[in-house]
Amino acid sequence: MNSIEKLKENLNEQQLEAVTETEGFVRVIAGAGSGKTKALTSRYAYIVEALGINSSNILCVTFTNKAAQEMRKRVKRLVGENSDLSYITTYHGFCVRVLREDINKIKYPKNFIIMDVEDQKTVLRQVYNELGLTSKVFTFKQVLRYISKQKTSQEYLQYILESKKKETDNEIEKVFIRYLEKQQRNFALDFDDLLNFALYIFVNNPDILEKWQKRLHYIQVDETQDSSQKQFMLIEMLSQIHKNLFVVGDPDQTIYEWRGAKPEILVDFDKQFIDSKTIIMNQNYRSTPNILNLGNHIIKNNKIRVDKDMFTQNPEGIEVVHFHGQNDYEEGLWVANEIKRLVADETSKYSDFAILYRANHISRSIEQSLIRENIPYSVYGGIRFFERKEIKDVLAYLRLIEFGDDFSFLRVVNSPSRGLGKKFIENVAKIAEKEDISLYSALKENISEKDLSRKGAIEFIELIEKYKKSKNDVIISDLVKEIMDESGLSAYYRTDGDTDRLDNIKELQNSIIVLETQDEEQINLTEYLQEIALYTNMDIEDDKNDRVKLMTIHTSKGLEFPYVFLCGFSEGVLPSAMSIKERRAKAIEEERRLTYVAITRAEKAFYMTESEGFNFSTGLNKYPSRFLFEISDNYFVRKGELSQEIIDEAKEQLKLDSTRQPIQKKFNVGDIVNHTIWNQGKIIEVNEEKGEYQIEFLETGKTKPINFEFKGIEKVEILNQKLF
Ligand code: ATP
Ligand code: MG
């Protein structure tokens, strides 16, 4: 049997149709695990092997890096190592290819820089310095979101590509303009630019566009439901000559609407391309019936969707489990033990397990348990919790107080900055070496020497000495709080604008509080640091490939794993309180789709876990997610002790939430209002979806977002409108 026959043999009827219909506009709509990606990769192989088309003439795009890797891996298995698979990529990856080849058309060098989020923050740090801003005015997150929003339109390109100048009094716009200037000076492109620049080049250079149109005979798009208008415009533009476009997707898995995904593109594909063909697939090959039923059961609660009838012939398998822990320690431990148990059975290995969560900080308690139980793991698309800079900073203060070691000293002596530079440290090091003592002792004992007696250094020594004396009299969580406040770390991370870092520190504090409330005997600093050292100096020798995988649900899209744990399934986390606050009803549906995506990643077993405790981001006690209450009891078994009291409180909380009517706007654009603190201002925008006004205040000239429900503003009838 030749390879094409073998390929066909592995497909069902609909898949076969999708694979062999290579010409024209074709769409596949189907649920999770129905073999969409399989059809797409098989089709790719078919075009290469049965039609003899060179792989460099086929463009295959998807949304996330991980999904693109997965696609490439599958195609490689089908067509072998020798083909050029570099056009199997993400939208961004493809735009980089275009720019590498043709960016000189807009007088940029081919070795332009691509900025990641950290680079963006570095630029913002500079801009904040120049403009004298702090995160009190805007956090980096707000500015980055603003920048991204501005870049949804092409207008900004005039300022970097056509040297048009822009003057403004608006504070955030000023930041944006400076950011653009710095980008241009460095020939640096952020992620939004990649697509915009590529489109700009195509639109303004028909010859270049034609070159690419001619080159790409076949175009295939996976996860089309998450494509934005602009991404699809690019694809549509490129397919205009050969007119071979194949799109697949599942509207129920749209999880990037908040970032501009337009599922309508997929849903209305047949209206845009009148003679297109649509193929529907209903059989799920990935999951057991238990998992599939759970997914279907949850997603049915979404109002805006087309119902699908999915079935599977897979064997029954094991039951879905919900575990409820008394605290996050218990939750993490249960997950770790379950993994250990299953691996000990020798029916599975570590890499068969994926742990998914909605928000990054959830990984902390899970990571701790995995490390404690010696289970190797990797965090996908993120940094392990205890390796994050801010966590290391806080722990280094604690270690310096307890142990006085050089490593911690070097980490914190000038963090936050006390004006103690390299030269200063060298001087301390010289003394330490001569006297054979630690750096900290060298500084302390010679602090009155001319070279060393700087204000910053004196204060630093006083601070550490103070804690050395008091450390046994306060509990560790209080010690951390005092250190944060008095060392200037809190202020530093607050003004720094990167508020994620503050969240992580809060999560660390939270974990210490849990530890303190749990242990009858008060844990001392040495014990705590020794315990934590386990997590920070992790150097387990293990097989890099055989590890448990931790990632956010967003990262897991398009992937599959035998065992899936959805952790931190608490109200406020999933659904995310922040998204609900920002996008209300729309957010609930998207959060439900996220839950659906998480469930449908699982092949053999699915677990959902959550625990009691305090949620520092909502400021409320933690309760099971509302989605858990949407599932009838016969779809899963419950482990752990979930008291009726907690269930009642959780439901009460939800009721309170749903009876809270969306607040109506009281003012309109153009109204002049009086604010209790900032006095007169003018409403310049009313955002009903978010429930907030943008108000430009007369005295400060600043524009601030004010909630509809805020009681401290009232309308003023003003005669002298000219003031504004
Ligand atoms: P998602 O919506 O999550 O991206 P999908 O529709 O892309 O899912 P695939 O990942 O292509 O689904 O397929 C799911 C699993 O089912 C894969 O392991 C795949 O190999 C298997 N599969 C798909 N089609 C068949 C088939 N006809 N016969 C046997 N196995 C299949
Ligand atoms: Mg897929």
Side-chain angles (χ1 to χ4, degrees):
M1 189 160 63
N2 69 23
S3 62
I4 297 168
E5 281 164 22
K6 211 147 95 207
L7 184 126
K8 285 182 172 174
E9 203 190 65
N10 282 321
L11 303 170
N12 66 28
E13 195 188 325
Q14 293 80 20
Q15 288 172 328
L16 193 62
E17 190 184 356
V19 166
T20 49
E21 282 284 335
T22 58
E23 313 300 301
F25 295 94
V26 182
R27 156 180 81 163
V28 173
I29 293 197
S34 58
K36 295 184 296 297
T37 305
K38 183 177 169 112
L40 181 134
T41 47
S42 304
R43 190 175 189 269
Y44 187 106
Y46 182 84
I47 294 172
V48 173
E49 307 248 313
L51 307 185
I53 301 283
N54 194 302
S55 62
S56 61
N57 297 114
I58 313 171
L59 172 65
C60 207
V61 286
T62 183
F63 200 70
T64 61
N65 279 320
K66 239 30 276 81
Q69 272 169 19
E70 174 75 17
M71 223 155 61
R72 207 175 298 145
K73 203 169 81 193
R74 290 198 200 177
V75 169
K76 208 182 253 174
R77 238 182 270 143
L78 296 170
V79 301
E81 298 280 335
N82 298 330
S83 304
D84 168 16
L85 303 183
S86 58
Y87 283 131
I88 302 183
T89 179
T90 57
Y91 281 109
H92 290 112
F94 174 69
C95 291
V96 170
R97 286 290 300 265
V98 172
L99 296 173
R100 287 251 157 79
E101 218 171 293
D102 292 313
I103 201 169
N104 53 353
K105 282 279 164 199
I106 51 171
K107 303 195 179 60
Y108 265 57
K110 291 200 168 165
N111 59 349
F112 59 92
I113 298 168
I114 302 172
M115 302 161 79
D116 62 15
V117 178
E118 287 310 311
D119 298 329
Q120 289 184 297
K121 287 177 183 170
T122 307
V123 171
L124 286 183
R125 232 164 247 133
Q126 282 176 319
V127 174
Y128 272 41
N129 264 337
E130 290 168 13
L131 297 176
L133 291 174
T134 66
S135 71
K136 286 220 180 71
V137 189
F138 315 108
T139 64
F140 284 180
K141 218 185 235 165
Q142 285 169 323
V143 176
L144 289 177
R145 223 188 274 175
Y146 176 85
I147 291 174
S148 207
K149 199 161 167 218
Q150 294 308 306
K151 291 189 173 183
T152 51
S153 113
Q154 305 269 91
E155 195 191 318
Y156 78 100
L157 289 175
Q158 332 171 42
Y159 307 116
I160 37 180
L161 299 181
E162 294 162 13
S163 330
K164 209 171 137 184
K165 288 269 169 279
K166 182 161 186 168
E167 296 292 326
T168 175
D169 288 331
N170 180 318
E171 211 57 63
I172 198 160
E173 215 178 340
K174 272 191 206 158
V175 176
F176 179 49
I177 290 169
R178 292 241 173 173
Y179 173 91
L180 291 181
E181 285 167 5
K182 292 200 190 309
Q183 274 200 298
Q184 186 193 29
R185 211 169 305 143
N186 293 299
F187 297 118
L189 273 63
D190 65 26
F191 261 55
D192 292 316
D193 296 327
L194 296 174
L195 184 64
N196 287 328
F197 276 49
L199 278 171
Y200 183 89
I201 291 171
F202 283 157
V203 170
N204 293 296
N205 302 275
D207 53 326
I208 303 278
L209 174 61
E210 196 183 313
K211 176 181 79 180
W212 285 92
Q213 284 171 328
K214 284 192 169 149
R215 187 181 298 176
L216 302 170
H217 284 255
Y218 294 89
I219 302 180
Q220 309 197 127
V221 184
D222 198 359
E223 308 276 359
T224 310
Q225 76 278 357
D226 277 323
S227 298
S228 70
Q229 197 86 50
K230 254 195 280 180
Q231 286 167 334
F232 196 72
M233 193 163 107
L234 179 85
I235 292 303
E236 203 261 333
M237 216 181 232
L238 287 168
S239 66
Q240 271 165 10
I241 289 189
H242 299 299
K243 301 190 189 310
N244 296 320
L245 176 61
F246 179 72
V247 302
V248 313
D250 175 7
D252 281 338
Q253 292 184 66
T254 309
I255 55 175
Y256 283 99
E257 253 187 343
W258 56 281
R259 224 163 65 179
K262 288 265 176 286
E264 301 85 345
I265 294 170
L266 180 65
V267 177
D268 298 333
F269 187 81
D270 53 337
K271 298 193 190 89
Q272 188 175 358
F273 305 100
I274 303 293
D275 46 6
S276 66
K277 181 168 196 130
T278 294
I279 298 166
I280 310 266
M281 300 174 186
N282 282 333
Q283 179 164 2
N284 175 298
Y285 291 93
R286 178 179 295 147
S287 313
T288 64
N290 283 330
I291 297 168
L292 187 65
N293 290 342
L294 180 75
N296 290 341
H297 183 62
I298 283 213
I299 198 68
K300 273 196 167 46
N301 291 309
N302 267 10
K303 297 205 174 60
I304 311 167
R305 73 182 284 267
V306 187
D307 203 12
K308 285 196 286 298
D309 237 349
M310 295 281 287
F311 70 98
T312 180
Q313 289 171 349
N314 289 350
E316 201 59 36
I318 49 180
E319 274 180 301
V320 171
V321 175
H322 164 220
F323 176 78
H324 174 84
Q326 298 308 305
N327 49 52
D328 62 14
Y329 174 85
E330 206 180 283
E331 182 184 351
L333 191 67
W334 187 83
V335 171
N337 280 333
E338 193 66 14
I339 294 175
K340 261 194 1 200
R341 184 178 70 76
L342 287 158
V343 171
D345 280 355
E346 292 188 5
T347 46
S348 43
K349 47 188 193 305
Y350 291 124
S351 56
D352 288 342
F353 294 85
I355 297 178
L356 311 181
Y357 35 81
R358 171 70 175 94
N360 273 310
H361 70 260
I362 300 292
S363 80
R364 196 266 316 152
S365 62
I366 307 292
E367 286 187 58
Q368 271 185 302
S369 314
L370 295 177
I371 295 166
R372 222 181 290 121
E373 301 299 318
N374 238 331
I375 297 173
Y377 72 92
S378 322
V379 178
Y380 280 50
I383 304 173
R384 291 161 173 265
F385 187 82
F386 288 98
E387 282 166 13
R388 292 177 191 157
K389 176 181 180 299
E390 60 279 16
I391 300 301
K392 285 189 139 181
D393 277 357
V394 176
L395 293 175
Y397 269 98
L398 291 176
R399 277 178 41 185
L400 183 65
I401 292 162
E402 188 68 5
F403 306 125
D405 63 301
D406 288 355
F407 179 78
S408 308
F409 175 84
L410 287 173
R411 186 155 190 117
V412 300
V413 65
N414 201 33
S415 167
S417 170
R418 302 184 172 87
L420 309 175
K422 219 162 132 198
K423 191 85 196 110
F424 180 88
I425 307 288
E426 274 168 20
N427 286 337
V428 179
K430 267 189 215 140
I431 300 173
E433 194 158 330
K434 206 167 79 208
E435 300 184 9
D436 196 18
I437 49 177
S438 71
L439 291 169
Y440 180 75
S441 305
L443 178 61
K444 188 179 114 190
E445 280 157 28
N446 299 281
I447 190 75
S448 44
E449 297 283 315
K450 179 166 78 27
D451 278 353
L452 304 184
S453 92
R454 304 251 197 94
K455 185 165 169 279
I458 296 168
E459 281 172 7
F460 179 66
I461 295 286
E462 281 172 0
L463 186 81
I464 302 296
E465 286 302 303
K466 182 180 130 194
Y467 291 131
K468 281 185 157 203
K469 287 201 194 78
S470 67
K471 69 176 194 208
N472 293 326
D473 305 327
V474 290
I475 53 173
I476 304 168
S477 53
D478 286 344
L479 187 62
V480 169
K481 190 171 175 315
E482 281 177 33
I483 292 171
M484 291 292 301
D485 290 344
E486 293 178 25
S487 67
L489 271 185
S490 280
Y492 171 71
Y493 283 125
R494 251 199 305 274
T495 50
D496 179 62
D498 189 351
T499 44
D500 281 352
R501 294 191 191 273
L502 270 182
D503 278 352
N504 287 331
I505 293 172
K506 274 194 218 152
E507 175 63 34
L508 178 75
Q509 284 174 294
N510 198 32
S511 74
I512 301 173
I513 293 171
V514 169
L515 209 67
E516 285 165 347
T517 43
Q518 223 169 45
D519 285 6
E520 274 142 36
E521 230 167 274
Q522 212 37 264
I523 180 168
N524 70 33
L525 191 55
T526 307
E527 286 163 350
Y528 175 69
L529 288 171
Q530 281 166 351
E531 157 115 6
I532 285 294
L534 283 178
Y535 309 133
T536 46
N537 299 332
M538 250 256 301
D539 203 12
I540 305 176
E541 272 301 312
D542 61 51
D543 175 0
K544 292 248 181 317
N545 295 320
D546 189 22
R547 292 177 172 201
V548 173
K549 300 166 183 130
L550 270 66
M551 67 188 86
T552 60
I553 304 173
H554 281 101
T555 307
S556 77
K557 197 157 63 112
L559 307 182
E560 57 189 14
F561 317 91
Y563 299 87
V564 172
F565 291 85
L566 170 61
C567 293
F569 199 14
S570 301
E571 187 62 24
V573 179
L574 180 61
S576 144
M578 180 94 87
S579 308
I580 296 178
K581 183 163 176 273
E582 287 178 357
R583 301 176 46 231
R584 309 204 168 189
K586 267 196 147 167
I588 296 283
E589 299 230 332
E590 181 141 313
E591 298 285 315
R592 201 179 275 113
R593 290 193 295 265
L594 264 172
T595 309
Y596 174 75
V597 168
I599 297 168
T600 54
R601 298 310 93 206
E603 296 168 6
K604 289 189 193 162
F606 179 73
Y607 304 83
M608 357 181 222
T609 73
E610 46 75 45
S611 52
E612 291 169 34
F614 187 70
N615 180 343
F616 68 81
S617 43
T618 56
L620 300 168
N621 284 336
K622 286 202 294 177
Y623 294 111
S625 164
R626 70 180 73 189
F627 299 143
L628 261 167
F629 296 113
E630 289 179 2
I631 313 171
S632 328
D633 289 350
N634 51 345
Y635 282 90
F636 64 92
V637 290
R638 179 163 288 144
K639 306 231 163 125
E641 269 175 52
L642 176 57
S643 65
Q644 191 56 41
E645 195 185 335
I646 292 284
I647 297 179
D648 293 343
E649 283 177 29
K651 290 193 172 160
E652 193 55 36
Q653 193 65 38
L654 282 175
K655 232 190 283 156
L656 286 179
D657 235 37
S658 62
T659 50
R660 209 175 288 149
Q661 288 296 323
I663 314 267
Q664 298 297 320
K665 64 168 181 175
K666 288 192 290 239
F667 311 110
N668 293 310
V669 172
D671 283 356
I672 308 299
V673 292
N674 200 40
H675 183 283
T676 41
I677 305 288
W678 290 311
N679 303 321
Q680 273 180 17
K682 179 174 173 178
I683 311 271
I684 54 171
E685 192 188 315
V686 179
N687 185 333
E688 299 209 32
E689 198 176 307
K690 269 171 104 172
E692 76 182 22
Y693 307 106
Q694 291 291 338
I695 305 185
E696 187 181 336
F697 290 100
L698 177 63
E699 284 171 12
T700 59
K702 289 193 177 132
T703 302
K704 305 262 184 200
I706 308 284
N707 283 330
F708 280 3
E709 48 265 65
F710 181 63
K711 294 208 171 63
I713 44 176
E714 55 186 38
K715 189 167 170 177
V716 282
E717 297 305 333
I718 191 159
L719 296 172
N720 191 356
Q721 285 269 359
K722 269 204 302 266
L723 278 175
F724 290 89

